[in-house]
């Protein structure tokens, strides 16, 4: 058996897929297209509106009421029959309207492949529809491109990709060409690029290794097709009530009929009496009360930023015992933000309260040594560089104005080998190099330090102090960058040694405001909150401590080794570096322990779990169309606290329905 492409060297991968760096010929591409099919996701057979409407009548309680309509007509009770029939039609129409758009996740996934791709065919670079890509094609990827198929990288220059929607990883992934272990999880396959992810920096060539339903995104589509809708707790309770009513009314009618005959009653008269009793015992108002209660709750929840897509989901929320929450974009902002910085020998929060003279030099370098552009609230480029632009803004440093004052004339791009980026600027007739990169690499290149506005010699004790700060910031799950500069002599633009160290900036994807309080409310209400993320274990644990999720943490790799997760699932609170299939395993284990599971998420990778959970909760602002279509509920404000409000509303609805059933019976 051949090794998977990420476990091969580039040349071995090319050989395995019977191609070369010059790409396929048009003839070979045509033959492979016929063999493997188009690079498109399989269309799910649409459920007709008529079938959706008929499904509204699929419950024992409704069957009993339909029988009551028939019997009432036989007994000449036309008004009773009409009232019950109107109630049944009202329920069916209301349910149909709510559920008509519930099965479109595959359609949204299909749209993801509707793009163009740059490919080498007949030794020429041409543009083709992404659907025409075949295994073995050599594709060219540039900054800003959406990856059209799963591919193994064979050449790259400073390549980074954003894979949050697929893996849950909140930071750009720096890519490499090295072969990796066969057991490595999806989020760590740094020599691969995946369909629907975005190139945020650099350029590359890659060999297509999977298309259509064989891609990672295609596997998610397959998972969605394989997941069957399960009845909600309310539907299960109403089904049980329907069975009890069916048995009870039939038994009561039979007893009345037999006792009547034993007392000498007329057989026809007793038959009509017992049937009338059975019809009277059926609570025909129950479906209407349930529907109206749920509908009113839906309206109230809309005002609290929770959009319910299916009526029974309201009550399911009230029954929830576990919330499995995606970290990126749900518990956190899904936006890299500078949290702390180190300058002039001191570590500070980025709030401007403890500024020292010369601190602005650190942020000036971050703004100038930067290729990302800001247009209002939108950024075009790397999320890490966006964070640097925003931190510069806090010091009143705008990129446009700075570049006018200090025009750039040369650049050394970041690479995985050098671990730094340098830009060269003309500042009032003098030439300066501004450098940012891995903090340990930057520190090794420095001989001086910028301290409170003055340049001084960088001593060994000062180096140890900086190294300690790097370790401390990294331990807080911050991504740390080092910053330095120097004045250049003449045209020595490749010389980035003998630098002046300025400082460090530590950034991360911060928690959403109010999340900690919302999690505390969940605990008080007896609801367990579990964090699930594609991020690293240490990052997840640090965020967990900050927002109040403390407990055992496991990685996707460790999860693979657990044969029966249901035995350990009660003790685990954080899952890191997980794949979409792992999320399904977690939900299955929780359900096996009797939990009613709510799952939140916003990415494509969350869609199967959203559909599998008792209630799937998608993000309305940052959520992908796929996650919304797979969900039962959408948060209009993306705020975790809105879930807690919705749960409280759901519990109130269930209590009201239970009280009404008790009164009716």
């Amino acid at each position: 058996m051949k090794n998977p492409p990420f476990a091969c060297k580039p040349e071995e991968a090319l050989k395995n897929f019977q191609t070369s760096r010059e790409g396929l010929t048009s003839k070979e591409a045509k033959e492979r297209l016929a063999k493997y099919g188009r690079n498109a996701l399989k269309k799910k057979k649409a459920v007709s509106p008529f079938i959706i409407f008929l499904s509204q009548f699929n419950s024992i309680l409704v069957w009993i009421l339909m029988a009551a309509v028939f019997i009432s007509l036989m007994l000449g009770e036309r008004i009773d029959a009409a009232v019950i029939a109107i109630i049944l039609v009202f329920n069916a129409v209301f349910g149909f309207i709510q559920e008509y758009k519930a099965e479109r996740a595959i359609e949204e996934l299909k749209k993801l492949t509707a793009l163009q791709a740059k490919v080498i065919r007949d030794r020429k670079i041409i543009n083709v529809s992404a659907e025409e890509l075949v295994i073995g094609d050599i594709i060219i990827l540039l900054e800003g491109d959406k990856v059209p198929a799963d591919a193994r990288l064979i050449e790259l220059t400073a390549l980074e990709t954003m894979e949050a929607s697929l893996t849950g990883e909140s930071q750009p992934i720096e890519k490499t060409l090295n072969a990796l272990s066969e057991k490595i999880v999806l989020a760590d396959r740094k020599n691969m690029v995946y369909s629907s992810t975005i190139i945020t920096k650099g350029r590359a060539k890659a060999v297509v290794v999977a298309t259509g339903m064989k891609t990672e995104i295609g596997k998610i589509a397959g998972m969605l097709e394989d997941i069957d809708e399960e009845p909600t707790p309310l539907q299960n309770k109403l089904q049980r009530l329907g069975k009890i009513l069916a048995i009870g009314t039939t038994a009561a009618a039979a007893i009345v009929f037999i006792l009547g005959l034993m007392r000498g009653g007329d057989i026809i008269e007793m038959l009509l009496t017992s049937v009338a009793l059975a019809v009277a015992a059926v609570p025909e108002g129950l479906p209407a009360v349930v529907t109206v209660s749920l509908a009113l709750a839906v309206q109230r929840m809309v005002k609290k930023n929770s959009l319910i897509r299916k009526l029974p989901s309201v009550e399911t929320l009230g029954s929830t015992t576990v919330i499995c929450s995606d970290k990126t974009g749900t518990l956190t902002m899904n936006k890299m933000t500078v949290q702390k910085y180190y300058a002039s020998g001191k570590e500070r929060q980025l709030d401007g309260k403890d500024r020292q003279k010369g601190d602005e030099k650190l942020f000036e370098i971050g703004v100038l040594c930067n290729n990302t552009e800001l247009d209002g609230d939108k950024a075009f480029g790397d999320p890490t560089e966006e964070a640097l632009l925003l931190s510069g803004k806090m010091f009143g440093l705008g990129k446009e104005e700075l570049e006018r004052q200090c025009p750039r004339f040369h650049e050394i791009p970041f690479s995985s080998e050098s671990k730094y980026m340098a830009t060269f600027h003309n500042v009032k007739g003098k030439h300066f190099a501004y450098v940012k990169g891995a903090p340990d690499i930057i520190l090794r290149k420095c001989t001086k330090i910028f301290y409170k506005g003055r340049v001084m010699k960088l001593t060994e004790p000062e180096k140890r102090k900086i190294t300690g700060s790097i370790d401390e910031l990294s331990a807080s799950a911050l991504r740390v960058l080092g910053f330095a500069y120097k004045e250049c002599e003449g045209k020595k633009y490749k010389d980035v040694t003998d630098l002046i160290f300025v400082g460090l900036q530590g950034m991360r994807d911060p928690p959403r405001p109010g999340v900690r309080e919302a999690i505390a409310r969940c605990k008080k209400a007896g609801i367990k909150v579990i964090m699930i993320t594609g991020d690293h274990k240490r990052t997840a644990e640090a965020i967990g401590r900050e927002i109040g999720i403390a407990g055992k943490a496991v990685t996707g790799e460790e999860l693979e080794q657990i044969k029966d997760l249901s035995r350990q699932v009660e003790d685990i609170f954080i899952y890191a570096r997980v794949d979409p299939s792992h999320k399904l395993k977690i939900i299955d284990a929780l359900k096996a322990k009797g939990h009613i599971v709510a799952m939140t998420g916003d990415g494509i990778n969350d869609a199967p779990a959203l559909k599998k959970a008792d209630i799937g909760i998608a993000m309305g602002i940052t959520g992908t169309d796929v996650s919304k279509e797979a969900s039962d509920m959408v948060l209009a404000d993306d705020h975790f606290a809105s879930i807690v409000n919705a749960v409280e509303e759901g519990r109130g609805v269930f209590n009201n329905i239970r009280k009404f059933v008790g009164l009716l019976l």
Side-chain angles (χ1 to χ4, degrees):
M1 183 179 175
K2 294 176 182 176
N3 290 331
F6 55 84
C8 302
K9 291 180 179 178
E11 295 304 324
E12 187 183 351
L14 289 168
K15 185 179 177 183
N16 287 346
F17 291 97
Q18 299 176 326
T19 187
S20 70
R21 291 177 185 269
E22 284 75 41
L24 303 172
T25 64
S26 297
K27 183 183 176 184
E28 287 172 327
K30 192 174 180 180
E31 289 170 353
R32 294 189 186 197
L33 189 63
K35 181 179 179 181
Y36 298 112
R38 300 183 76 79
N39 179 33
L41 301 181
K42 216 183 289 179
K43 188 175 181 180
K44 186 179 180 182
K45 188 177 179 181
V47 180
S48 75
F50 181 66
I51 296 297
I52 295 174
F53 182 74
L54 286 183
S55 69
Q56 307 306 313
F57 296 92
N58 188 23
S59 89
I60 290 176
L61 194 59
V62 171
W63 296 343
I64 293 171
L65 291 174
M66 289 170 71
V69 172
F70 180 71
I71 293 168
S72 296
L73 287 172
M74 286 181 62
L75 296 174
E77 301 290 345
R78 295 182 180 179
I79 294 176
D80 285 354
V83 169
I84 298 172
I86 289 169
I87 290 170
L88 288 173
V89 173
F90 169 77
N91 279 306
V93 171
F94 214 98
F96 169 78
I97 291 169
Q98 290 291 321
E99 296 180 20
Y100 179 57
K101 295 183 180 179
E103 296 297 324
R104 294 191 180 174
I106 303 301
E107 283 300 309
E108 293 301 330
L109 280 164
K110 193 172 185 293
K111 293 175 187 176
L112 292 170
T113 54
L115 67 153
Q116 293 287 306
K118 298 178 189 70
V119 62
I120 300 177
R121 295 261 178 93
D122 301 316
R123 301 195 175 193
K124 295 176 185 176
I125 299 174
I126 60 170
N127 283 325
V128 300
S129 166
E131 288 195 3
E132 294 176 20
L133 286 179
V134 295
I135 291 172
D137 262 330
I138 305 298
I139 54 174
I140 295 171
L141 301 168
L142 304 175
E143 190 171 311
D145 285 352
K146 181 178 278 189
V147 180
D150 289 4
R152 169 61 161 99
L153 293 164
I154 57 172
E155 291 178 23
L156 59 80
T157 303
L159 188 70
E160 291 187 8
T161 64
M162 177 52 78
E163 300 179 353
S165 66
L166 182 65
T167 66
E169 172 69 75
S170 60
Q171 297 182 12
I173 310 299
E174 184 187 330
K175 295 296 181 175
T176 178
L177 295 178
N178 301 330
L180 303 169
S181 164
E182 286 188 43
K183 294 181 180 179
I184 202 160
V185 297
L186 179 68
D188 289 330
R189 294 173 192 169
K190 295 186 177 181
N191 56 17
M192 296 284 295
V193 287
Y194 293 103
S195 176
S196 86
T197 60
I198 306 293
I199 307 297
T200 57
K201 182 185 283 187
R203 58 184 183 275
K205 282 184 183 178
V207 55
V208 174
V209 300
T211 60
M213 296 300 288
K214 299 291 185 182
T215 61
E216 293 300 325
I217 204 77
K219 291 174 186 175
I220 292 174
M223 287 182 197
L224 284 174
E225 277 194 318
D226 295 339
I227 296 170
D228 295 323
E229 293 286 341
E230 295 181 8
T232 68
L234 178 62
Q235 288 169 329
N236 286 329
K237 290 183 180 84
L238 290 176
Q239 288 286 76
R240 285 197 294 272
L241 176 62
K243 289 178 183 177
I244 292 168
L245 285 173
I247 295 168
T249 53
T250 303
I255 290 169
V256 168
F257 179 70
I258 293 168
L259 289 176
L261 291 179
M262 289 173 65
R263 293 180 63 183
D266 179 70
I267 188 167
I268 300 298
E269 184 182 342
M270 293 316 303
L271 178 63
L272 293 175
T273 301
S274 58
V275 169
L277 176 66
V279 172
V282 175
E284 62 272 3
L286 180 57
V289 168
V290 170
T291 301
V292 171
S293 297
L294 295 176
L296 290 174
V298 167
Q299 295 305 313
R300 289 194 296 271
M301 292 166 83
V302 166
K303 295 175 183 177
K304 296 179 181 179
N305 297 306
S306 300
L307 311 176
I308 300 294
R309 300 180 67 239
K310 299 178 185 178
L311 283 181
S313 302
V314 175
E315 186 275 333
T316 308
L317 272 167
S319 306
T320 298
T321 57
V322 175
I323 298 175
C324 295
S325 179
D326 181 53
K327 179 187 79 69
T328 305
T330 308
L331 297 173
T332 64
M333 300 290 288
N334 195 19
K335 189 172 187 177
M336 294 296 286
T337 308
V338 175
Q339 302 281 294
K340 295 181 179 179
Y341 70 95
Y342 176 95
S344 298
K346 192 174 180 182
E347 194 177 294
R348 299 177 180 84
Q349 295 286 340
L350 188 73
D351 54 16
K353 293 179 181 177
D354 190 25
R355 293 184 185 181
Q356 292 284 337
K357 180 185 176 183
D359 282 3
E360 64 275 2
K361 188 72 177 177
L362 170 64
F363 300 96
E364 182 182 307
I365 297 170
V367 172
L368 286 171
C369 187
N370 196 311
N371 285 329
T372 293
E373 299 293 335
L374 278 181
D375 183 9
D377 292 333
K378 288 188 177 181
F380 301 91
D382 183 81
T384 300
E385 291 192 338
E386 179 189 355
L388 298 178
L389 292 183
L390 293 173
S391 66
K393 262 190 170 183
M394 291 195 67
F395 278 78
L397 301 170
K399 187 179 183 185
E400 205 173 309
E401 179 62 27
L402 270 181
E403 287 186 335
R404 269 200 300 270
Q405 297 172 7
C406 314
R408 184 192 300 190
F409 59 84
H410 187 65
E411 175 187 340
I412 298 175
F414 179 89
S415 71
S416 54
E417 290 76 30
S418 68
K419 300 285 186 187
Y420 70 84
M421 171 186 177
T423 56
F424 298 81
H425 300 260
N426 189 327
V427 185
K428 297 178 181 178
K430 295 181 179 180
H431 294 169
F432 284 87
Y434 292 141
V435 188
K436 77 169 189 287
D440 53 332
I441 300 294
I442 297 297
L443 189 58
R444 282 203 295 268
K445 291 178 174 293
C446 294
T447 56
K448 303 182 185 70
I449 185 171
F450 188 80
Y451 189 87
K452 295 183 180 180
R454 294 184 295 125
V455 176
M456 303 168 64
K457 184 181 178 182
L458 181 60
T459 62
E460 284 303 317
E462 190 63 43
K463 277 188 177 181
R464 286 195 293 272
K465 188 176 179 182
I466 295 167
T467 301
S469 186
I470 293 169
D471 293 341
E472 190 177 319
L473 291 170
S474 298
S476 302
L478 296 177
R479 184 181 188 188
V480 186
L481 291 178
F483 298 82
Y485 79 104
K486 70 177 288 188
E487 185 177 349
C488 304
E489 296 178 12
K491 299 258 183 187
K492 295 181 180 178
Y493 303 141
K494 292 185 179 180
D495 182 14
V496 285
T497 58
D498 195 27
L499 299 175
I500 302 165
F501 183 83
V502 178
L504 309 166
Q505 292 193 55
M507 63 196 73
R508 65 168 177 168
D509 180 15
R512 285 185 174 277
V515 162
R516 185 179 181 87
E517 292 76 13
I519 289 172
R521 284 168 66 195
C522 285
K523 288 180 180 176
K524 196 174 179 181
I527 300 169
K528 179 181 179 181
V529 180
I530 294 172
M531 181 197 295
I532 302 177
T533 178
D535 271 343
H536 291 278
K537 187 176 180 179
R538 190 172 70 176
T539 303
E541 286 176 319
I543 291 287
R545 285 192 297 271
E546 191 170 344
I547 62 178
I549 299 178
K552 185 178 178 182
V554 299
T555 64
E557 199 170 337
E558 292 166 343
L559 198 58
E560 293 279 2
Q561 308 305 316
I562 302 174
K563 290 183 179 178
D564 186 2
L565 181 60
S566 62
R567 293 185 178 181
Q568 301 182 36
V569 74
E570 299 282 18
D571 302 319
I572 302 171
F573 286 79
I574 296 172
Y575 296 87
R577 305 304 275 172
V578 295
D579 293 343
S581 59
H582 293 146
K583 295 180 183 183
L584 299 180
K585 184 177 180 180
I586 295 164
I587 290 171
D588 284 336
L590 288 166
K591 284 186 174 183
K593 300 298 286 187
H595 286 291
I596 304 298
V597 184
M599 167 75 191
T600 76
D602 63 347
I604 297 165
N605 62 320
D606 298 318
L610 290 175
K611 194 170 183 183
K612 178 73 172 177
D614 292 296
I615 180 157
I617 306 169
M619 301 297 109
I621 299 171
T622 59
T624 58
D625 288 338
V626 179
S627 64
K628 291 173 190 174
E629 288 297 330
S631 70
D632 303 294
M633 168 180 158
V634 179
L635 295 183
D637 60 353
D638 285 14
H639 206 305
F640 185 84
S642 296
I643 300 171
V644 186
N645 295 333
V647 169
E648 289 174 347
E649 189 69 53
R651 288 189 174 185
V653 168
F654 178 67
N655 287 333
N656 289 340
I657 293 172
R658 186 171 57 183
K659 288 172 186 174
F660 177 79
V661 171
L663 176 66
L664 204 63
L665 295 178

